[in-house]
């Protein structure tokens, strides 16, 4: 059995956001699950580098495009590794192997007779890398409501793909393969799009940036393949097309293509299958569109304006608010994104939502189960797992139901339902302990009954760790280690078995999985306040009235100390006139506490207080930084001496 899953390949015009992380995490979860099932998994992701918008982004920064895309691709790769994404292939569309694949694919299209030379006259949006007809524009601009940017007029000889010919075949294919396009409501959108009539699609551009058309195709001098066509072929490149036939036969067709709704209907659900039909290649088995993550109702976009939550600062926020490790914060983020909204729907990304899931589902339901049981094993059985062969039938059934629930949900990428099934099982586990009251059994001296209850509870925890492993891999490792496993080989089949924890196994050191601190902090504000220079140019315009709501004051640092357990935070005492405030500031990478006393700073005096690492913070100190360089953090300070408490306007 093989399983080939893909994410979109991302434009490298700006750094990844939690939006781009979403598709990648979803693909990683599926890949991990299928690996646990013993399947031969190919999980491919990568970067879409031949876009004009990447060149523009490089030019804006005064950089050479090739050097720029290389650097950005590396950033994406590192970001995914940091999010514990276990991809098997990372393709860059500037790679030679990809050029080979695109050219071979175009030769196949040309042979099919479905490529013809024509002239394109029309509009092009560089931001969306999409052609539009005059009547599609809105006020002369890009009709995509998320974009609305200026379009450019193009008149050039190009190759067209005879897309119009494939409408009926596509409709028939969709009809015959109900699981091909998901979710279902989007399938209907695609059907309507096709019924509305497909227009032949322009598949080349005149440019020096991109994959050159193969020289065997006549009159294609100076032409490169249109970036969307080139990008879609990446799915073949990773499967070994065209040279590695063995690999290609093994992995193609892909089992699942994952992407957001914006690139589903026009590209992945219609153009791509039609081109594959023309080239005589099998179609992917599933094409699945998820929704958009938004902030304040606006799509989170790499280069967009407004708040751009990026994974790093979001994890920092979770760590600061809860005191957990980076690994746990990451698993919390992975869990939150898949549990919070049904795959396919849009969702509002919020720090409060994430911390709510952390507290309720992770610390409470999952963490509690572990932390109730392990201390009892330590206390009543000297840390050794008791021996018994009788499973608790209800708990055993609940475990099997959870495993089957996840399996069903994974087929249609219904992650939320899959996690709900697992969480019903965790609830059953916690109820089991309440009902059986092992502490009472210990008191009454019913040793056999106590063994049975403790062993069943441990088995439930082992299975829970396995079930959550695709979504929260490092948490599963930690739970297993606390159960005393060393080098345990996980496999999905173990979710249906009972009695795998060896009797007599010595448990590990119980440590809080998802530690808790005051959850009352203003997490949304902190996500929003994560330093981010890339969005500064396109921040929304605010009125003077809105600005005046911010109470900025001159303050003087009169005390500074480290915050225990947090290397980036300092606890400052700041005098703002009549008042002294405690403020926690993430500036420890750039300042020693001793440097700060006596410094004048500018503070936001009316920020909602938040508890960070157990310290109540009553304001925010303004500082700037060069993104990614924590040593560059510099506090804002008045140019001339001003009294403490003076207003800054
Ligand atoms: O479209 N919510 O690249 P891209 C959810 N290069 N998902 C989001 C998101 C959000 N707010 N923002 C981004 C391209 N994504 C092309 C793809 S594929 C052959 C070529 C995710 O960098 C989502 O998967 O604009 C979306 O489809 C993808 O990033 C777009 O990334």
């Amino acid at each position: 059995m093989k399983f080939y899953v893909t994410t979109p390949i991302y434009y490298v015009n700006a750094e990844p956001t939690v939006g781009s992380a979403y598709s990648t995490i979803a693909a990683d979860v599926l890949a991990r699950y299928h690996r646990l099932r013993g399947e031969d998994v190919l999980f491919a992701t990568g970067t879409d580098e031949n876009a004009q918008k990447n060149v523009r982004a490089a030019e804006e920064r005064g950089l050479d495009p090739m050097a720029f895309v290389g650097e950005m691709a590396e950033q994406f790769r590192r970001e995914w590794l940091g999010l514990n994404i276990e991809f098997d292939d990372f393709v860059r569309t500037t790679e030679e192997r990809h050029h080979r694949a695109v050219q071979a694919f175009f030769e196949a299209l040309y042979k099919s007779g479905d490529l013809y030379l024509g002239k394109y006259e029309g509009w092009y949006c560089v931001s969306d890398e999409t052609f539009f007809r005059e009547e599609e524009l809105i006020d002369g601009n890009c009709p995509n409501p998320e974009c609305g940017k200026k379009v450019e007029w193009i008149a050039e000889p190009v190759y067209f793909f005879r897309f119009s010919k494939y409408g009926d075949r596509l409709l028939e294919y969709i009809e015959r393969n109900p699981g091909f396009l998901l979710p279902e409501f989007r399938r209907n959108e695609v059907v309507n799009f096709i019924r509305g009539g497909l227009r032949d699609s322009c598949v080349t551009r005149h440019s020096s940036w991109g994959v050159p058309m193969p020289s065997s195709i006549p009159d294609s001098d100076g032409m490169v393949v249109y970036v969307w066509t080139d990008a879609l072929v990446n799915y073949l490149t990773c499967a070994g097309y065209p040279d590695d036939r063995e690999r290609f036969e093994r992995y193609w067709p892909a089992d699942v293509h994952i992407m957001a709704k914006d690139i589903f209907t026009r590209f992945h659900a219609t153009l791509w299958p039609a081109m594959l039909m023309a080239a005589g290649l099998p179609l992917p088995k599933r094409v699945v569109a998820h929704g958009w993550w938004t902030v304040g109702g606006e799509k989170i976009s790499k280069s967009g304006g407004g708040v751009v939550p990026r994974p790093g600062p979001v994890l920092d926020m979770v760590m600061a608010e809860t005191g957990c490790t980076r690994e746990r914060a990451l698993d919390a983020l992975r869990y939150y994104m898949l549990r919070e909204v049904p795959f396919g729907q849009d969702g509002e990304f919020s720090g409060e939502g994430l911390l709510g899931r952390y507290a309720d589902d992770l610390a409470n339901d999952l963490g509690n189960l572990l932390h109730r049981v392990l201390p009892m094993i330590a206390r009543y059985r000297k840390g050794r797992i008791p021996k018994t062969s009788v499973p608790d039938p209800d708990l055993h059934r609940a475990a099997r139901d959870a495993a089957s629930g996840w399996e069903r949900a994974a087929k249609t990428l219904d992650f939320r339902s899959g996690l709900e099934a697992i969480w019903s099982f965790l609830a059953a586990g916690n109820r089991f302990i309440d009902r059986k009251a092992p502490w009472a059994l210990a008191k009454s001296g019913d040793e056999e009954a106590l063994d049975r209850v403790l062993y069943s509870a441990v088995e439930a925890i082992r299975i829970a760790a396995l079930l959550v492993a695709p979504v929260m891999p490092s948490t599963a490792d930690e739970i297993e280690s606390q159960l005393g496993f060393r080098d345990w080989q996980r496999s999905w089949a173990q979710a249906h078995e009972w009695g795998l924890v060896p009797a007599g196994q010595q448990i590990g050191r119980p440590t809080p999985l998802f530690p808790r601190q005051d959850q009352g902090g203003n997490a949304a504000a902190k996500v929003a306040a994560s330093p981010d220079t890339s969005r500064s140019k396109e921040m929304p315009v605010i009125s003077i009235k809105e600005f005046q709501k911010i109470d900025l004051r001159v303050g003087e640092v009169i005390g500074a100390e480290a915050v225990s357990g947090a290397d980036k935070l300092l606890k400052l005492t700041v005098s703002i006139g009549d008042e002294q405030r405690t403020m926690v500031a993430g500036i420890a990478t750039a300042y020693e506490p001793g440097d700060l006393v006596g410094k004048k700073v500018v503070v936001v005096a009316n920020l909602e207080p938040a508890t960070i690492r157990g310290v109540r913070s009553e304001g925010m100190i303004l500082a700037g930084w060069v993104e990614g360089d924590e040593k560059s953090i510099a506090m804002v300070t008045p140019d001339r001496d001003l009294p403490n408490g003076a207003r800054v306007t």
Side-chain angles (χ1 to χ4, degrees):
M1 283 286 276
K2 67 87 188 176
F3 184 77
Y4 177 23
V5 55
T6 69
T7 72
I9 50 170
Y10 303 102
Y11 292 130
V12 291
N13 57 320
E15 294 79 17
T17 67
V18 293
S20 2
Y22 184 46
S23 321
T24 321
I25 290 170
D28 184 56
V29 167
L30 276 190
R32 285 173 182 273
Y33 165 63
H34 284 271
R35 281 190 205 112
L36 279 174
R37 298 184 64 95
E39 293 167 29
D40 172 12
V41 171
L42 172 59
F43 164 20
T45 186
T47 41
D48 189 352
E49 301 182 11
N50 299 323
Q52 291 298 318
K53 68 199 245 173
N54 297 335
V55 178
R56 302 255 165 113
E59 282 165 356
E60 276 166 23
R61 292 164 173 80
L63 297 171
D64 166 61
M66 203 43 119
F68 172 70
V69 297
E71 209 172 280
M72 292 299 289
E74 187 49 27
Q75 271 203 38
F76 272 79
R77 216 178 59 84
R78 259 186 279 136
E79 181 83 57
W80 300 153
L81 291 174
L83 298 184
N84 212 351
I85 304 291
E86 275 187 351
F87 51 81
D88 300 296
D89 197 354
F90 187 101
V91 62
R92 298 184 49 196
T93 56
T94 47
E95 281 176 72
E96 173 57 27
R97 61 167 174 154
H98 179 66
H99 283 216
R100 275 278 303 132
V102 172
Q103 293 184 339
F105 188 70
F106 263 70
E107 277 162 0
L109 285 184
Y110 187 70
K111 276 197 201 118
S112 74
D114 287 332
L115 277 193
Y116 65 89
L117 197 58
K119 182 167 185 209
Y120 180 79
E121 276 198 37
W123 297 100
Y124 191 74
C125 171
V126 173
S127 180
D128 279 9
E129 300 285 4
T130 303
F131 297 95
F132 291 107
R133 276 174 299 175
E134 176 85 31
E135 61 271 28
E136 286 179 300
L137 303 184
I138 296 178
D139 297 333
N141 293 322
C142 174
N144 171 4
E146 301 300 318
C147 175
K149 296 208 175 98
K150 263 203 161 55
V151 286
E152 295 174 11
W153 179 254
I154 292 176
E156 57 191 30
V158 292
Y159 269 95
F160 283 90
F161 167 61
R162 236 181 274 281
F163 196 18
S164 56
K165 181 175 144 187
Y166 286 89
D168 289 343
R169 273 182 72 183
L170 283 172
L171 287 174
E172 192 190 321
Y173 189 88
I174 294 168
E175 170 96 0
R176 285 227 188 121
N177 296 276
F180 175 49
L181 302 177
L182 286 175
E184 216 168 296
F185 69 94
R186 294 236 174 262
R187 180 170 68 219
N188 303 336
E189 246 174 59
V190 172
V191 167
N192 291 337
F193 175 73
I194 299 171
R195 289 208 178 115
L198 298 176
R199 283 177 306 123
D200 286 354
S201 184
C202 171
V203 288
T204 64
R205 293 284 322 265
H206 271 266
S207 172
S208 55
W209 184 255
V211 183
M213 280 285 274
S215 50
S216 58
I217 297 182
D219 302 316
S220 65
D221 266 7
M223 285 186 192
V224 294
V225 172
Y226 164 47
V227 65
W228 257 106
T229 325
D230 143 15
L232 289 163
V233 176
N234 94 84
Y235 303 132
L236 298 178
T237 309
C238 294
Y241 184 84
D243 298 324
D244 190 342
R245 291 220 61 85
E246 202 181 310
R247 181 177 169 92
F248 190 63
E249 266 157 32
R250 173 151 197 79
Y251 291 112
W252 192 260
D255 292 80
V256 187
H257 289 324
I258 295 176
M259 81 247 27
K261 59 185 183 180
D262 49 339
I263 57 174
F264 179 69
T265 305
R266 202 167 177 143
F267 296 114
H268 283 85
T270 52
L271 180 62
W272 178 228
M275 288 196 305
L276 287 168
M277 284 173 175
L281 292 170
L283 268 47
K285 291 188 195 150
R286 277 195 200 300
V287 182
V288 186
H290 59 67
W292 280 340
W293 283 97
T294 59
V295 167
E298 300 278 324
K299 180 192 172 199
I300 297 170
S301 150
K302 277 204 289 300
S303 54
V307 175
V308 184
R310 302 195 193 266
V314 169
L315 298 185
D316 288 345
M317 180 281 290
V318 175
M319 286 155 66
E321 287 287 315
T322 65
C324 72
T325 58
R326 191 178 186 284
E327 284 184 320
R328 280 308 88 67
L330 170 57
D331 279 359
L333 174 67
R334 291 169 61 107
Y335 172 79
Y336 164 72
M337 295 196 93
L338 296 181
R339 175 77 194 258
E340 191 73 359
V341 294
F343 209 63
Q345 304 288 339
D346 292 352
E348 176 74 7
F349 190 89
S350 92
E352 281 100 343
L354 170 51
L355 290 176
R357 289 282 175 197
Y358 178 102
D360 297 341
D361 302 5
L362 302 180
N364 241 351
D365 301 335
L366 177 60
N368 255 356
L369 184 60
L370 184 72
H371 302 314
R372 294 172 82 187
V373 174
L374 289 189
M376 288 195 277
I377 305 237
R379 187 155 161 215
Y380 304 136
R381 293 294 178 258
K382 297 199 175 78
R384 292 208 175 268
I385 289 171
K387 191 183 175 79
T388 173
S389 54
V390 192
D392 179 83
D394 293 342
L395 207 51
H396 189 20
R397 192 172 324 110
R400 282 194 314 239
D401 288 351
S404 316
W406 172 269
E407 287 156 18
R408 266 194 310 279
K411 286 195 180 124
T412 51
L413 280 67
D414 185 359
F415 298 104
R416 178 147 103 153
S417 304
L419 287 169
E420 277 168 359
I422 298 173
W423 256 252
S424 305
F425 167 54
L426 293 177
N430 277 312
R431 272 198 313 272
F432 171 78
I433 295 166
D434 295 341
R435 221 177 45 236
K436 300 286 179 179
W439 47 91
L441 296 173
K443 229 185 197 161
S444 70
D446 188 345
E447 301 299 336
E448 222 185 296
L450 180 60
D451 275 355
R452 274 207 305 274
V453 171
L454 291 179
Y455 190 83
S456 285
V458 163
E459 269 296 286
I461 294 170
R462 171 190 65 80
I463 293 173
L466 172 59
L467 296 179
V468 301
V471 178
M472 301 196 287
S474 80
T475 302
D477 290 345
E478 176 62 25
I479 296 174
E480 284 170 359
S481 141
Q482 294 198 26
L483 286 181
F485 283 107
R486 302 274 165 270
D487 307 321
W488 177 243
Q489 284 297 312
R490 251 179 242 148
S491 83
W492 191 256
Q494 295 159 350
H496 293 274
E497 291 176 49
W498 192 269
L500 296 187
V501 182
Q505 176 162 289
Q506 179 75 40
I507 60 168
R509 196 163 61 89
T511 24
L513 257 194
F514 290 96
R516 279 188 266 210
Q517 282 186 19
D518 185 322
Q519 301 290 335
N522 186 357
K526 259 175 258 109
V527 171
S530 330
D532 186 349
T533 48
S534 59
R535 68 165 190 266
S536 58
K537 267 184 287 172
E538 291 174 280
M539 286 287 276
V541 174
I542 57 167
S543 65
I544 187 83
K545 265 206 159 127
E546 284 171 282
F547 177 73
Q548 280 165 347
K549 287 188 198 155
I550 306 175
D551 187 13
L552 292 172
R553 301 275 173 172
V554 172
E556 183 180 346
V557 180
I558 55 174
E561 57 184 277
V563 175
S564 80
D567 5 320
K568 293 188 182 168
L569 302 179
L570 291 180
K571 176 181 161 190
L572 307 180
T573 311
V574 182
S575 157
I576 48 171
D578 299 335
E579 239 190 303
Q580 286 183 9
R581 299 266 190 97
T582 300
M583 299 183 193
V584 175
I587 56 173
T589 37
Y591 291 96
E592 291 293 331
D595 302 339
L596 291 169
V597 176
K599 262 212 184 341
K600 291 274 173 139
V601 291
V602 176
V603 303
V604 181
N606 61 339
L607 191 71
E608 193 183 336
T611 302
I612 304 170
R613 288 287 176 124
V615 181
R616 192 158 173 81
S617 180
E618 305 162 313
M620 183 199 276
I621 298 191
L622 297 191
W625 78 325
V626 179
E627 202 191 8
D629 178 7
E630 290 176 334
K631 293 219 169 358
S632 69
I633 293 173
M635 293 193 305
V636 176
T637 181
D639 195 22
R640 298 208 180 104
D641 195 30
L642 284 169
N644 299 346
R647 276 210 73 173
V648 177
T649 58

